[in-house]
Amino acid sequence: MPLHLSLMRHFQYFLLIERAGLTGAFANQRNPCLDTNQWSHVMKTRPRLVNRRSFLAGASATVLLPSILRAQDGSLKLQCRFDDQTVTYTLFDNPTVRDLVSMLPLELTIEDFSNNEKIAHLPRRLDEGGLAPFSDETPGDLCYFLGWGNLAFFYADYQFRNDLIRLGHIDGPLDPLTHRGTYPLRVALTD
């Protein structure tokens, strides 16, 4: 069983025992909120080593573990190579990113679009579960455009209009994205 599920189960057991009145000075007294059958079940199934220290450890892990997992998920790197340029992105964790990662590596074509981005058309549409409004648009964002189902590599200001899913952000300078032209593009995960 994964660690975070084990810790969550331990925490749930503690809450059940606390509700039943099995901790503290009254641990051996019957809780008046439970009928005889419920009390018997709790007494038979209670964990043996629940104490304040294990509760605090479980509660701390419950609070800290999601942020640790997010940090691990956030460290997933995507490398894009075209012509003699290399761009690396730190990916976010959402269903759209996970769908993109499942398709990698990809051989695409990158081309200039408008005066603020490059685009690359994907072989199929991505899961749109990562759609969430945002207002902190930043040059260097990697997005999925819902209208055409393509990747958008922004190197200048842009606006979110409910048609973009943010996938990640560039790790280095924007200069490679300003390299004009149409080129073969290799997209793959990297360390």
Side-chain angles (χ1 to χ4, degrees):
M1 175 182 298
L3 175 65
H4 68 282
L5 292 178
S6 175
L7 291 172
M8 288 296 290
R9 181 170 288 161
H10 188 74
F11 183 66
Q12 289 169 342
Y13 280 136
F14 180 82
L15 291 178
L16 176 65
I17 289 169
E18 184 67 33
R19 177 180 281 166
L22 297 176
T23 60
F26 304 104
N28 294 324
Q29 293 182 4
R30 185 177 173 282
N31 186 325
C33 297
L34 299 175
D35 66 27
T36 306
N37 289 337
Q38 290 173 321
W39 180 254
S40 297
H41 176 71
V42 168
M43 292 302 289
K44 289 177 190 172
T45 60
R46 69 179 178 168
R48 303 231 185 271
L49 300 174
V50 175
N51 58 31
R52 187 175 297 170
R53 183 178 296 158
S54 60
F55 168 73
L56 291 175
S60 298
T62 302
V63 170
L64 296 175
L65 198 59
S67 62
I68 292 168
L69 292 174
R70 278 193 304 273
Q72 290 172 350
D73 289 341
S75 65
L76 200 57
K77 305 284 185 179
L78 182 76
Q79 186 177 70
C80 303
R81 297 177 145 227
F82 61 96
D83 199 24
D84 60 348
Q85 310 296 316
T86 301
V87 182
T88 303
Y89 291 89
T90 296
L91 296 176
F92 301 137
D93 182 22
N94 65 48
T96 309
V97 169
R98 289 190 290 272
D99 194 18
L100 174 63
V101 168
S102 74
M103 297 170 57
L104 299 177
L106 287 170
E107 300 292 335
L108 307 171
T109 300
I110 192 167
E111 58 188 296
D112 299 310
F113 185 79
S114 189
N115 59 358
N116 65 341
E117 68 181 291
K118 287 191 169 299
I119 63 171
H121 296 280
L122 295 166
R124 66 168 174 81
R125 297 189 70 83
L126 297 177
D127 180 324
E128 297 176 4
L131 181 61
F134 56 92
S135 59
D136 57 343
E137 304 93 334
T138 308
D141 284 346
L142 172 64
C143 297
Y144 175 67
F145 177 58
L146 296 171
W148 298 340
N150 63 277
L151 296 177
F153 304 84
F154 289 101
Y155 57 84
D157 292 334
Y158 71 99
Q159 282 189 313
F160 172 77
R161 293 185 298 265
N162 283 337
D163 58 358
L164 295 170
I165 298 174
R166 195 156 34 181
L167 305 176
H169 191 76
I170 198 167
D171 288 342
L174 299 171
D175 298 341
L177 295 176
T178 61
H179 184 70
R180 306 294 288 173
T182 300
Y183 303 99
L185 170 70
R186 177 161 174 78
V187 181
L189 291 178
T190 188
D191 297 333

